[in-house]
């Protein structure tokens, strides 16, 4: 991007997440971190900006936006997802009041820029395509209001994110991205609308350089591969990336990885073995529902005609803890769905079970269908775990809301929650690389002993689990404590959301 004469001070701004299940806010306090992950989109955009421009990141999840940040900036680049819209509106109003030029991009704006009249320029879709045209026009003071694209960039040209802009000490994990896009076509998901069906990957050399960069910057903790579906291109994984990661770990890195994948991972023992060997110890999987009718309705073909409990257990036994996404509120759901979901989740030992009410996100096939049927009511909050929905469900609205509330209450009550941890630990094969024990984790353990073991209403479950794990699965003790802390976060979030 050399060649831009203009010199700019760019403030990269990331809005606040609401207090939700995914924020892990109440768990992060135990390890004295402010947020789970840095804003990788903004850090990637920063790397695409001219080198000569000065850049500063303010992620308001980890620190406040100060007046002097605004005074310093010539232009503000703001990102975000729909769940951050409230904070984004507030930040934009502050930047506008300070007279700054505002440039916005990322999923929140790509799917609904019309709601932000105060933004000067929208640079939508993937910045690798739209940003160069904007920068050229901006330099000549001819920038348009909206830059959008229908083509998808080749990630082999994407530069490494500028991690040095993030204050790494404040985050629980770092993130990298190997691929974008997903071969599947679930009707509620906006990933394919934004990133297409053909998984596009970076090269192995790019990934190793990114990981080396993080390591050189002093990062020693876990790293999240934020791919929509990490196993979208199995060949590239098996033949190139995973062998290289195994080699990378051999230099004594000991870095735990986690990611997202589809359930067909369970069909490929070789792929699971390589992933575990490479340091993966956790995977998030969209399971959605144990009901065949619900899976057919949302076109989740890859989950159909399977024994999903057996699949989850196979993945756990391979050494990957499964976190699961679940949905209630499909048209085909009847009031029995709540009990069915609980039964499934308890049996499968998915401790971190993110159960959401179906929401229709703009740009998805679900949104189009509900629009045609005249069933949309208002905007989505973008967070399907806050107990709201933006369409008229087939099930009675009150029954849905009440059933959801009951489900969440039962799922995260200490009894069933701690039972699930045991179910998991019975199956879970030892991961190759587990989270390292360090001073911070030890302090978290001591805090957990006091907050959960003495003052928590789960105290008997807590000590019971620790003793059980100590004798039956001693290597999993750190994981057991981590999951106890997550449970505390989930229960607190349920209370905050009135669930
Ligand atoms: C990592 C991640 C998270 C992390 C966020 C960490 C963080 N600090 O960013 C965590 C786990 C916390 C998270 C949580 C949630 N997430 Co999330 N998450 C992702 C994921 C998997 C990767 C994001 C990422 O880092 N991508 C890599 C970067 C490089 O890509 P990018 O951010 O898109 O950036 C590119 C462009 O968008 C653009 N761009 C981005 N920002 C900007 C800014 C400017 C100025 C410009 C010019 C360009 C630009 O350029 C970049 C390079 O091309 C995406 C899926 C995806 N594929 O993006 C979902 C995704 C963003 N999440 C989503 C959702 C719904 C959620 C939750 C609401 C889930 C829930 N039900 O609770 C929660 C919300 C959190 C909360 N507490 O309320 C949706 C967002 C939908 C939407 N339209 O808003 C996505 C798209 C997934 C999906 N299936 O729909 N998430
Ligand atoms: S498998 Fe996941 S990322 Fe792919 S379309 Fe379905 S929900 Fe979206």
């Amino acid at each position: 991007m050399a060649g831009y004469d203009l010199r700019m001070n760019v403030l990269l701004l990331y809005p606040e997440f609401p207090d939700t299940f995914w924020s892990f806010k109440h768990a992060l306090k135990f390890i004295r971190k402010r947020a789970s992950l840095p804003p990788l989109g903004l850090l990637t955009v920063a790397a695409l900006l001219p080198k000569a421009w000065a850049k500063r990141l303010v992620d308001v999840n980890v620190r406040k936006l100060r007046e002097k940040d605004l005074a310093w900036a010539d232009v503000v680049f703001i990102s975000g997802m729909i769940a951050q819209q409230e904070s984004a509106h507030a930040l934009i109003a502050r930047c506008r009041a300070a007279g700054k030029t505002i440039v916005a991009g990322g999923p929140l704006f790509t799917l609904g820029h019309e709601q932000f009249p105060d933004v000067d320029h929208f640079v939508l879709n993937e910045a690798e395509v739209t940003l160069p045209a904007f920068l050229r026009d901006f330099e000549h003071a001819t920038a348009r209001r909206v830059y959008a694209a229908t083509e998808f960039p080749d990630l082999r040209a994407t530069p490494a994110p500028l991690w040095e802009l993030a204050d790494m000490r404040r985050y629980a994990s770092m993130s990298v991205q190997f691929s974008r896009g997903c071969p599947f076509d679930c009707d509620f998901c906006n990933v394919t609308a934004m990133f297409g069906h053909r998984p596009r990957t970076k090269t192995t050399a790019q990934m190793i350089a990114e990981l080396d960069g993080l390591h050189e910057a002093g990062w020693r903790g876990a790293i999240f591969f934020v791919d929509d579906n990490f196993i979208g291109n199995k060949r590239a994984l098996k033949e190139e990336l995973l062998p290289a990661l195994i080699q990378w770990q051999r230099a004594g890195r000991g870095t735990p990885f986690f990611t997202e994948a589809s359930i067909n991972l369970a069909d490929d023992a070789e792929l699971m073995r390589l992933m575990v060997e490479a340091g993966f110890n956790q995977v998030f999987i969209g399971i959605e529902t144990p009901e065949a009718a619900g899976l057919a309705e949302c076109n989740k073909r890859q989950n159909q005609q399977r024994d999903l409990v057996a699949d989850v257990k196979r993945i756990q036994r391979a050494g990957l803890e499964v976190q699961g996404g679940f949905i209630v509120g499909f048209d085909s759901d009847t009031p029995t769905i709540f009990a069915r979901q609980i039964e499934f989740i308890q049996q499968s030992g998915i401790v971190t079970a993110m159960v959401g009410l179906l929401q229709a996100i703009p740009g998805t096939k679900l949104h189009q269908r509900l629009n045609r049927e005249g069933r949309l009511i208002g905007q989505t909050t973008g967070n399907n775990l806050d107990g709201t929905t933006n369409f008229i469900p087939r099930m009675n609205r009150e029954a849905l809301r009440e059933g959801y509330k009951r489900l969440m209450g039962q799922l995260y009550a200490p009894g069933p929650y701690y039972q699930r941890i045991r179910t998991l630990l019975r199956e879970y094969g030892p991961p190759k690389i587990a989270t390292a024990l360090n001073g911070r984790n030890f302090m978290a353990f001591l805090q957990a002993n006091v907050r959960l073991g003495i003052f928590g209403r789960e105290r008997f479950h807590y000590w019971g689990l620790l003793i059980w794990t100590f004798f039956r699965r001693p290597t999993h003790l750190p994981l057991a404590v981590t999951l106890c802390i997550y449970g505390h976060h989930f229960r607190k979030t349920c209370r905050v959301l009135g669930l």
Side-chain angles (χ1 to χ4, degrees):
M1 284 289 155
Y4 289 95
D5 295 335
L6 209 59
R7 288 263 168 159
M8 285 278 153
N9 286 348
V10 186
L11 179 65
L12 300 142
L13 200 50
Y14 200 55
E16 193 177 1
F17 285 114
D19 186 357
T20 67
F21 290 90
W22 274 120
S23 72
F24 283 102
K25 192 170 142 186
H26 308 289
L28 290 167
K29 286 184 189 143
F30 284 75
I31 49 167
R32 293 164 192 265
K33 300 285 183 182
R34 297 272 173 85
S36 313
L37 296 155
L40 195 61
L42 273 181
L43 298 181
T44 305
V45 167
L48 289 161
L49 291 173
K51 280 205 168 53
W53 289 15
K55 293 142 199 141
R56 182 182 292 183
L57 172 73
V58 175
D59 173 356
V60 298
N61 296 286
V62 304
R63 84 153 171 90
K64 285 196 167 73
L65 171 65
R66 295 181 296 237
E67 284 311 311
K68 61 180 184 196
D69 295 318
L70 282 173
W72 171 86
D74 297 310
V75 55
V76 176
F77 275 52
I78 187 168
S79 177
M81 49 181 102
I82 301 177
Q84 292 156 283
Q85 58 192 326
E86 204 179 306
S87 169
H89 276 292
L91 291 173
I92 288 168
R94 261 185 87 184
C95 297
R96 169 58 62 225
K100 301 296 158 185
T101 300
I102 306 167
V103 182
L108 167 62
F109 304 99
T110 295
L111 296 171
H113 72 274
E114 303 82 4
Q115 297 157 44
F116 296 90
D118 283 342
V119 169
D120 298 288
H121 307 284
F122 293 100
V123 181
L124 307 177
N125 305 101
E126 293 172 70
E128 290 86 343
V129 183
T130 45
L131 193 60
F134 165 73
L135 290 174
R136 259 191 315 273
D137 295 347
F138 189 61
E139 193 187 16
H140 297 111
T142 57
R144 300 192 305 271
R145 185 132 197 278
V146 181
Y147 291 78
T150 47
E151 75 263 40
F152 301 118
D154 183 343
L155 296 193
R156 289 173 298 185
T158 297
L162 291 192
W163 284 292
E164 63 264 33
L165 297 179
D167 182 355
M168 288 189 183
R169 294 163 309 166
R170 310 252 186 199
Y171 296 96
S173 305
M174 284 292 125
S175 44
V176 294
Q177 187 180 43
F178 173 55
S179 70
R180 291 185 200 156
C182 173
F184 297 114
D185 199 16
C186 311
D187 80 340
F188 54 81
C189 173
N190 67 166
V191 157
T192 44
M194 288 192 302
F195 302 110
H197 286 287
R198 196 174 58 81
R200 291 162 286 134
T201 62
K202 290 182 183 167
T203 63
T204 295
Q206 273 173 294
M207 293 317 297
I208 296 297
E210 291 194 16
L211 293 172
D212 280 343
L214 278 171
H215 198 259
E216 276 154 28
W219 183 253
R220 296 292 178 273
I223 297 179
F224 180 19
F225 276 72
V226 299
D227 301 32
D228 309 307
N229 186 358
F230 185 65
I231 64 164
N233 184 339
K234 290 188 186 177
R235 193 205 52 77
L237 285 184
K238 284 183 179 173
E239 291 175 15
E240 295 161 31
L241 184 67
L242 292 173
L245 291 181
I246 293 169
Q247 210 47 46
W248 187 79
Q249 297 279 20
R250 283 205 180 121
R253 292 314 190 318
T255 301
F257 295 131
F258 56 109
T259 192
E260 305 182 337
S262 42
I263 192 76
N264 54 321
L265 173 62
D267 304 337
D268 199 328
E270 171 70 357
L271 183 57
M272 290 191 283
R273 189 189 63 75
L274 286 169
M275 282 177 67
V276 172
E277 186 79 17
F280 286 85
N281 60 17
Q282 193 185 73
V283 60
F284 180 90
I285 298 182
I287 294 184
E288 325 310 359
T289 177
E291 291 292 349
L295 292 173
E297 180 185 322
C298 69
N299 198 31
K300 192 118 197 161
R301 267 177 293 156
Q302 68 275 26
N303 288 27
Q304 291 173 36
Q305 270 139 47
R306 287 175 161 278
D307 181 343
L308 289 166
V309 173
D311 289 337
V312 169
K313 295 207 182 257
R314 211 169 315 132
I315 299 172
Q316 290 166 340
R317 279 199 288 272
L320 294 160
E321 184 208 333
V322 176
Q323 300 189 331
F326 297 88
I327 296 177
V328 290
F330 290 118
D331 284 357
S332 53
D333 279 347
T334 65
T336 57
I337 188 64
F338 309 108
R340 280 281 288 135
Q341 289 279 21
I342 293 176
E343 185 192 14
F344 178 90
I345 292 166
Q346 290 303 119
Q347 270 180 13
S348 58
I350 295 181
V351 183
T352 302
M354 300 298 202
V355 188
L357 275 187
L358 185 62
Q359 286 196 353
I361 299 182
T364 59
K365 289 190 175 145
L366 175 70
H367 193 271
Q368 286 159 10
R369 172 168 74 83
L370 293 169
N371 193 21
R372 275 196 312 274
E373 294 173 6
R375 291 168 61 194
L376 289 175
I377 38 166
Q379 307 284 350
T380 165
T381 59
N383 170 15
N384 68 342
L385 295 162
D386 64 1
T388 67
T389 184
N390 63 331
F391 67 92
I392 303 166
R394 286 270 184 256
M395 198 189 299
N396 171 289
R397 233 178 134 69
E398 259 323 288
L400 181 60
R401 165 92 190 146
E402 277 311 305
Y404 180 67
K405 238 171 121 166
R406 248 190 354 266
L407 185 160
M408 294 307 266
Q410 283 181 28
L411 217 48
Y412 289 115
Y417 184 82
Y418 276 79
Q419 190 55 48
R420 287 210 297 287
I421 302 183
R422 286 189 198 210
T423 306
L424 166 71
L425 297 186
R426 274 194 201 100
E427 296 290 341
Y428 192 32
K432 186 87 183 163
I433 294 172
T435 305
L437 266 182
N438 55 28
R440 197 184 285 271
N441 293 346
F442 186 68
M443 289 306 289
F445 173 54
L446 294 184
Q447 263 199 73
N449 289 346
V450 177
R451 293 177 65 176
L452 313 182
I454 297 176
F455 296 110
R457 72 178 165 112
E458 65 270 64
R459 52 187 172 275
F460 296 115
H461 298 282
Y462 178 78
W463 292 115
L465 177 76
L466 258 49
I467 293 166
W468 181 89
T469 312
F470 183 78
F471 286 109
R472 306 278 295 273
R473 291 283 185 274
T475 49
H476 290 327
L477 211 54
L479 175 63
V481 176
T482 305
L483 294 172
C484 294
I485 295 173
Y486 284 4
H488 165 78
H489 164 76
F490 295 138
R491 275 186 289 283
K492 272 204 129 168
T493 307
C494 278
R495 275 204 295 280
V496 171
L497 295 174
L499 295 173

